[in-house]
Amino acid sequence: MPTRNLGLDLMRATEAAALASARWVGLGNKEEGDRAAVEAMRLILSSLDFRARVVIGEGEKDRAPMLYNGEELGQGEGPFWDLAVDPVEGTRLLALGRPGAISVLAAAPEGTLFNPGPGFYAAKLVVGPEAREAIDLKASVADNLKEIARALKRSVRELTVFVLDKPRHARLIEEIRYAGARITLQTDGDVAGALAAVLPGTGVDVLMGTGGTPEGVIAAVAVRALGGGMQMRLDPQSEEERWNLIHAGFDLEKVYPLEELCRAEDTHFAATGITDGPFLRGVRYGAQEAWTESLVIRGATRTLRKVEARHRLEKLRGISPVAY
Protein backbone atom coordinates (compact mmCIF):
# COMPACT_ATOMS: atom_id res chain seq x y z
CA MET A 1 0.00 0.00 0.00
CA PRO A 2 1.20 3.55 -0.66
CA THR A 3 2.56 5.27 2.44
CA ARG A 4 3.08 8.88 3.37
CA ASN A 5 5.99 10.74 1.78
CA LEU A 6 7.35 12.77 4.68
CA GLY A 7 9.72 14.53 2.28
CA LEU A 8 6.87 16.59 0.87
CA ASP A 9 6.17 17.92 4.37
CA LEU A 10 9.86 18.61 4.93
CA MET A 11 9.89 20.54 1.67
CA ARG A 12 7.40 22.99 3.18
CA ALA A 13 10.01 23.71 5.87
CA THR A 14 12.88 24.21 3.40
CA GLU A 15 10.65 26.41 1.23
CA ALA A 16 9.80 28.57 4.23
CA ALA A 17 13.46 28.83 5.25
CA ALA A 18 14.49 29.73 1.70
CA LEU A 19 11.80 32.38 1.34
CA ALA A 20 12.62 33.95 4.70
CA SER A 21 16.39 33.99 4.21
CA ALA A 22 16.29 35.09 0.57
CA ARG A 23 15.29 38.58 1.73
CA TRP A 24 18.85 38.83 3.10
CA VAL A 25 20.66 37.78 -0.10
CA GLY A 26 23.51 40.13 -0.89
CA LEU A 27 23.07 42.30 2.21
CA GLY A 28 26.28 41.09 3.84
CA ASN A 29 24.67 39.82 7.05
CA LYS A 30 24.85 36.05 7.19
CA GLU A 31 23.75 35.88 10.84
CA GLU A 32 20.41 37.57 10.17
CA GLY A 33 19.84 35.53 7.02
CA ASP A 34 20.50 32.34 8.97
CA ARG A 35 18.30 33.48 11.85
CA ALA A 36 15.38 34.13 9.50
CA ALA A 37 15.77 30.66 7.98
CA VAL A 38 16.00 28.93 11.38
CA GLU A 39 12.87 30.63 12.69
CA ALA A 40 10.88 29.81 9.56
CA MET A 41 12.04 26.18 9.47
CA ARG A 42 11.31 25.68 13.18
CA LEU A 43 7.80 27.11 12.80
CA ILE A 44 6.87 24.72 9.99
CA LEU A 45 8.49 21.66 11.60
CA SER A 46 6.69 22.37 14.86
CA SER A 47 3.34 22.28 13.07
CA LEU A 48 3.82 18.99 11.21
CA ASP A 49 1.98 15.77 12.06
CA PHE A 50 5.01 13.74 13.11
CA ARG A 51 7.48 13.39 16.01
CA ALA A 52 11.07 14.38 15.36
CA ARG A 53 14.25 15.18 17.20
CA VAL A 54 17.16 17.25 15.86
CA VAL A 55 20.31 15.12 15.99
CA ILE A 56 22.51 16.95 13.46
CA GLY A 57 22.65 20.73 13.46
CA GLU A 58 25.01 23.52 12.47
CA GLY A 59 24.69 25.92 15.35
CA GLU A 60 27.61 25.07 17.59
CA LYS A 61 30.22 25.30 14.84
CA ASP A 62 28.76 28.38 13.18
CA ARG A 63 27.55 30.04 16.41
CA ALA A 64 24.19 30.29 14.71
CA PRO A 65 20.73 30.64 16.30
CA MET A 66 20.47 26.92 15.82
CA LEU A 67 17.77 24.34 15.83
CA TYR A 68 19.62 22.74 18.73
CA ASN A 69 20.55 19.08 19.08
CA GLY A 70 17.89 17.29 21.08
CA GLU A 71 15.12 19.77 20.22
CA GLU A 72 11.84 17.93 19.70
CA LEU A 73 9.49 19.05 16.96
CA GLY A 74 6.14 18.11 15.49
CA GLN A 75 2.65 17.45 16.80
CA GLY A 76 2.10 13.84 15.81
CA GLU A 77 2.37 10.45 17.49
CA GLY A 78 4.42 7.34 16.89
CA PRO A 79 8.19 6.78 16.73
CA PHE A 80 10.66 9.63 16.51
CA TRP A 81 12.38 10.62 13.30
CA ASP A 82 15.95 11.86 13.50
CA LEU A 83 16.42 15.19 11.75
CA ALA A 84 19.59 16.57 10.21
CA VAL A 85 19.09 20.25 9.45
CA ASP A 86 20.87 23.10 7.74
CA PRO A 87 18.43 25.98 7.26
CA VAL A 88 21.05 27.82 5.16
CA GLU A 89 23.85 25.78 3.69
CA GLY A 90 26.20 28.48 2.47
CA THR A 91 25.51 31.43 4.77
CA ARG A 92 28.41 33.33 3.23
CA LEU A 93 27.06 32.63 -0.26
CA LEU A 94 23.74 34.11 0.86
CA ALA A 95 25.36 37.17 2.45
CA LEU A 96 27.45 37.89 -0.64
CA GLY A 97 24.72 37.07 -3.15
CA ARG A 98 26.74 34.25 -4.67
CA PRO A 99 25.35 31.08 -6.32
CA GLY A 100 24.80 27.83 -4.47
CA ALA A 101 23.03 28.65 -1.17
CA ILE A 102 20.33 26.12 -0.32
CA SER A 103 18.11 25.13 2.60
CA VAL A 104 18.25 21.41 3.43
CA LEU A 105 16.58 18.86 5.70
CA ALA A 106 17.04 15.11 6.07
CA ALA A 107 15.00 12.64 8.12
CA ALA A 108 15.78 9.06 9.04
CA PRO A 109 14.37 6.55 11.57
CA GLU A 110 15.56 7.12 15.12
CA GLY A 111 19.15 6.06 15.78
CA THR A 112 20.17 5.49 12.15
CA LEU A 113 22.27 8.60 11.45
CA PHE A 114 25.97 8.79 12.28
CA ASN A 115 26.68 10.89 15.35
CA PRO A 116 30.02 12.71 14.93
CA GLY A 117 30.11 13.80 18.57
CA PRO A 118 32.57 16.69 18.95
CA GLY A 119 33.79 16.33 15.36
CA PHE A 120 33.14 19.41 13.27
CA TYR A 121 35.15 18.49 10.14
CA ALA A 122 35.56 15.38 8.00
CA ALA A 123 37.29 14.33 4.79
CA LYS A 124 34.75 13.22 2.19
CA LEU A 125 34.66 11.42 -1.11
CA VAL A 126 31.37 11.37 -3.04
CA VAL A 127 30.46 9.98 -6.47
CA GLY A 128 27.38 8.96 -8.43
CA PRO A 129 25.90 5.46 -8.76
CA GLU A 130 28.13 4.32 -11.63
CA ALA A 131 31.31 4.86 -9.63
CA ARG A 132 30.16 3.96 -6.13
CA GLU A 133 32.32 0.82 -5.99
CA ALA A 134 35.39 2.65 -7.33
CA ILE A 135 36.24 4.90 -4.37
CA ASP A 136 38.62 4.33 -1.47
CA LEU A 137 39.39 7.19 0.91
CA LYS A 138 42.56 5.37 2.00
CA ALA A 139 43.93 5.36 -1.55
CA SER A 140 45.72 8.25 -3.24
CA VAL A 141 43.92 11.02 -5.08
CA ALA A 142 45.40 9.84 -8.39
CA ASP A 143 44.30 6.23 -7.83
CA ASN A 144 40.77 7.29 -6.92
CA LEU A 145 40.46 9.46 -10.01
CA LYS A 146 41.79 6.67 -12.19
CA GLU A 147 39.26 4.16 -10.83
CA ILE A 148 36.38 6.66 -11.01
CA ALA A 149 37.24 7.44 -14.64
CA ARG A 150 37.37 3.74 -15.43
CA ALA A 151 33.95 3.18 -13.86
CA LEU A 152 32.51 6.08 -15.86
CA LYS A 153 34.24 4.89 -19.05
CA ARG A 154 36.00 8.22 -19.44
CA SER A 155 39.48 9.60 -19.11
CA VAL A 156 40.71 11.33 -15.95
CA ARG A 157 41.01 14.57 -17.93
CA GLU A 158 37.24 14.45 -18.55
CA LEU A 159 36.45 14.39 -14.81
CA THR A 160 35.44 17.50 -12.86
CA VAL A 161 36.06 17.52 -9.10
CA PHE A 162 34.20 19.75 -6.64
CA VAL A 163 36.60 21.14 -4.01
CA LEU A 164 36.04 23.80 -1.37
CA ASP A 165 38.40 26.72 -1.93
CA LYS A 166 40.13 26.59 1.46
CA PRO A 167 43.82 26.85 2.44
CA ARG A 168 43.68 23.30 3.82
CA HIS A 169 43.11 22.01 0.29
CA ALA A 170 46.25 23.43 -1.33
CA ARG A 171 47.92 20.01 -1.57
CA LEU A 172 44.70 18.27 -2.64
CA ILE A 173 44.27 20.77 -5.49
CA GLU A 174 47.83 20.15 -6.63
CA GLU A 175 47.29 16.37 -6.60
CA ILE A 176 44.04 16.59 -8.57
CA ARG A 177 45.62 18.79 -11.22
CA TYR A 178 48.73 16.63 -11.38
CA ALA A 179 46.48 13.61 -11.99
CA GLY A 180 44.93 15.53 -14.89
CA ALA A 181 41.37 16.16 -13.69
CA ARG A 182 39.56 19.49 -13.74
CA ILE A 183 38.46 21.31 -10.60
CA THR A 184 35.52 23.52 -9.76
CA LEU A 185 36.53 25.56 -6.70
CA GLN A 186 33.69 26.82 -4.52
CA THR A 187 33.99 28.88 -1.36
CA ASP A 188 31.17 27.09 0.49
CA GLY A 189 28.41 24.55 0.13
CA ASP A 190 29.56 20.95 0.29
CA VAL A 191 26.05 19.50 0.68
CA ALA A 192 25.33 21.10 -2.68
CA GLY A 193 28.68 19.77 -3.91
CA ALA A 194 27.79 16.23 -2.86
CA LEU A 195 24.42 16.47 -4.57
CA ALA A 196 26.08 17.81 -7.71
CA ALA A 197 28.43 14.81 -7.72
CA VAL A 198 25.51 12.34 -7.50
CA LEU A 199 22.93 14.01 -9.73
CA PRO A 200 23.32 13.72 -13.51
CA GLY A 201 23.84 16.74 -15.72
CA THR A 202 25.47 19.04 -13.16
CA GLY A 203 28.96 18.99 -14.67
CA VAL A 204 30.44 17.58 -11.42
CA ASP A 205 31.66 13.98 -11.19
CA VAL A 206 33.18 13.74 -7.73
CA LEU A 207 33.48 15.68 -4.48
CA MET A 208 36.79 15.56 -2.63
CA GLY A 209 38.13 17.30 0.45
CA THR A 210 37.37 18.27 4.01
CA GLY A 211 34.17 20.03 4.98
CA GLY A 212 31.67 20.16 7.80
CA THR A 213 30.78 16.87 9.47
CA PRO A 214 27.09 17.85 9.92
CA GLU A 215 26.92 18.58 6.20
CA GLY A 216 28.47 15.18 5.56
CA VAL A 217 25.73 13.38 7.45
CA ILE A 218 23.02 15.40 5.69
CA ALA A 219 24.60 14.63 2.33
CA ALA A 220 24.85 10.93 3.19
CA VAL A 221 21.05 10.67 3.39
CA ALA A 222 20.67 12.04 -0.12
CA VAL A 223 23.62 10.10 -1.54
CA ARG A 224 22.31 6.78 -0.24
CA ALA A 225 18.77 7.54 -1.39
CA LEU A 226 20.08 8.24 -4.90
CA GLY A 227 22.29 5.13 -5.03
CA GLY A 228 25.58 7.03 -5.01
CA GLY A 229 28.82 6.28 -3.23
CA MET A 230 30.34 8.08 -0.25
CA GLN A 231 33.08 7.61 2.33
CA MET A 232 34.01 9.89 5.21
CA ARG A 233 36.83 10.15 7.79
CA LEU A 234 36.93 12.55 10.72
CA ASP A 235 39.50 15.26 10.04
CA PRO A 236 39.82 17.65 13.01
CA GLN A 237 41.08 21.13 12.15
CA SER A 238 42.32 22.12 15.61
CA GLU A 239 44.12 20.45 18.48
CA GLU A 240 41.08 21.01 20.68
CA GLU A 241 38.81 19.22 18.21
CA ARG A 242 41.34 16.37 17.86
CA TRP A 243 41.66 15.96 21.64
CA ASN A 244 37.88 16.02 22.11
CA LEU A 245 37.39 13.30 19.49
CA ILE A 246 40.09 11.05 20.93
CA HIS A 247 38.75 11.60 24.45
CA ALA A 248 35.26 10.63 23.18
CA GLY A 249 36.62 7.36 21.80
CA PHE A 250 36.68 8.08 18.07
CA ASP A 251 39.27 6.42 15.81
CA LEU A 252 40.64 9.20 13.61
CA GLU A 253 41.93 6.69 11.06
CA LYS A 254 38.59 4.97 10.54
CA VAL A 255 36.90 5.41 7.17
CA TYR A 256 33.12 5.38 7.48
CA PRO A 257 31.26 3.83 4.54
CA LEU A 258 27.92 5.22 3.44
CA GLU A 259 26.03 2.42 5.21
CA GLU A 260 27.44 3.58 8.57
CA LEU A 261 26.72 7.24 7.92
CA CYS A 262 23.08 6.48 7.15
CA ARG A 263 21.92 3.04 8.27
CA ALA A 264 18.39 3.15 6.88
CA GLU A 265 16.66 2.97 3.53
CA ASP A 266 13.44 4.64 4.71
CA THR A 267 14.79 8.19 4.56
CA HIS A 268 13.56 11.54 3.32
CA PHE A 269 15.50 14.52 2.00
CA ALA A 270 14.40 17.99 0.90
CA ALA A 271 16.36 20.95 -0.44
CA THR A 272 15.19 24.35 -1.71
CA GLY A 273 17.35 26.82 -3.61
CA ILE A 274 18.03 30.22 -2.04
CA THR A 275 20.41 31.51 -4.69
CA ASP A 276 20.84 29.97 -8.15
CA GLY A 277 22.96 26.82 -8.25
CA PRO A 278 23.89 23.94 -10.57
CA PHE A 279 20.69 21.97 -9.94
CA LEU A 280 18.26 24.35 -8.21
CA ARG A 281 17.20 27.88 -9.04
CA GLY A 282 17.11 30.38 -6.22
CA VAL A 283 14.10 32.27 -4.90
CA ARG A 284 12.62 34.63 -7.47
CA TYR A 285 10.29 37.50 -6.63
CA GLY A 286 7.41 39.19 -8.38
CA ALA A 287 5.27 42.05 -7.12
CA GLN A 288 3.19 39.95 -4.72
CA GLU A 289 4.50 36.45 -5.29
CA ALA A 290 7.66 34.38 -5.17
CA TRP A 291 8.83 31.18 -6.83
CA THR A 292 10.92 28.42 -5.32
CA GLU A 293 12.51 25.30 -6.75
CA SER A 294 13.07 22.23 -4.59
CA LEU A 295 14.29 18.64 -4.66
CA VAL A 296 12.48 15.94 -2.69
CA ILE A 297 14.08 12.51 -2.43
CA ARG A 298 12.55 9.39 -0.87
CA GLY A 299 15.02 6.69 0.08
CA ALA A 300 12.59 3.76 0.20
CA THR A 301 11.66 4.15 -3.49
CA ARG A 302 14.60 6.28 -4.70
CA THR A 303 12.05 8.69 -6.12
CA LEU A 304 13.37 12.16 -6.88
CA ARG A 305 10.97 15.00 -7.45
CA LYS A 306 11.81 18.51 -8.60
CA VAL A 307 9.09 20.88 -7.47
CA GLU A 308 8.56 24.44 -8.64
CA ALA A 309 6.17 26.34 -6.42
CA ARG A 310 4.51 29.75 -6.70
CA HIS A 311 3.81 31.44 -3.37
CA ARG A 312 1.28 34.23 -2.95
CA LEU A 313 3.07 36.39 -0.39
CA GLU A 314 0.06 38.31 0.91
CA LYS A 315 -1.67 35.00 1.66
CA LEU A 316 1.37 33.63 3.48
CA ARG A 317 1.75 36.80 5.50
CA GLY A 318 -1.89 36.58 6.48
CA ILE A 319 -1.55 33.18 8.14
CA SER A 320 2.09 33.07 9.28
CA PRO A 321 4.37 35.17 11.50
CA VAL A 322 7.31 34.42 9.18
CA ALA A 323 8.66 37.55 7.46
CA TYR A 324 8.23 36.31 3.90
Side-chain angles (χ1 to χ4, degrees), residues 56-135:
I56 297 292
E58 264 280 353
E60 187 177 353
K61 178 165 72 74
D62 283 354
R63 298 180 180 176
M66 57 177 160
L67 280 156
Y68 60 86
N69 287 355
E71 182 173 359
E72 295 183 5
L73 299 160
Q75 298 186 0
E77 298 180 352
F80 273 101
W81 288 87
D82 283 349
L83 291 182
V85 308
D86 201 346
V88 179
E89 204 245 346
T91 54
R92 180 163 47 179
L93 301 177
L94 180 151
L96 298 177
R98 291 177 178 170
I102 59 175
S103 179
V104 291
L105 260 174
E110 186 176 17
T112 61
L113 295 181
F114 174 65
N115 182 352
F120 295 148
Y121 292 92
K124 309 167 194 177
L125 184 53
V126 181
V127 293
E130 296 84 358
R132 64 184 179 185
E133 302 298 329
I135 58 175

Side-chain angles (χ1 to χ4, degrees), residues 162-184:
F162 180 103
V163 179
L164 290 177
D165 189 7
K166 308 291 184 183
R168 62 178 176 264
H169 288 148
R171 181 176 177 182
L172 172 64
I173 292 167
E174 288 181 2
E175 292 182 11
I176 293 171
R177 287 175 173 159
Y178 185 78
R182 297 172 295 193
I183 298 174
T184 175

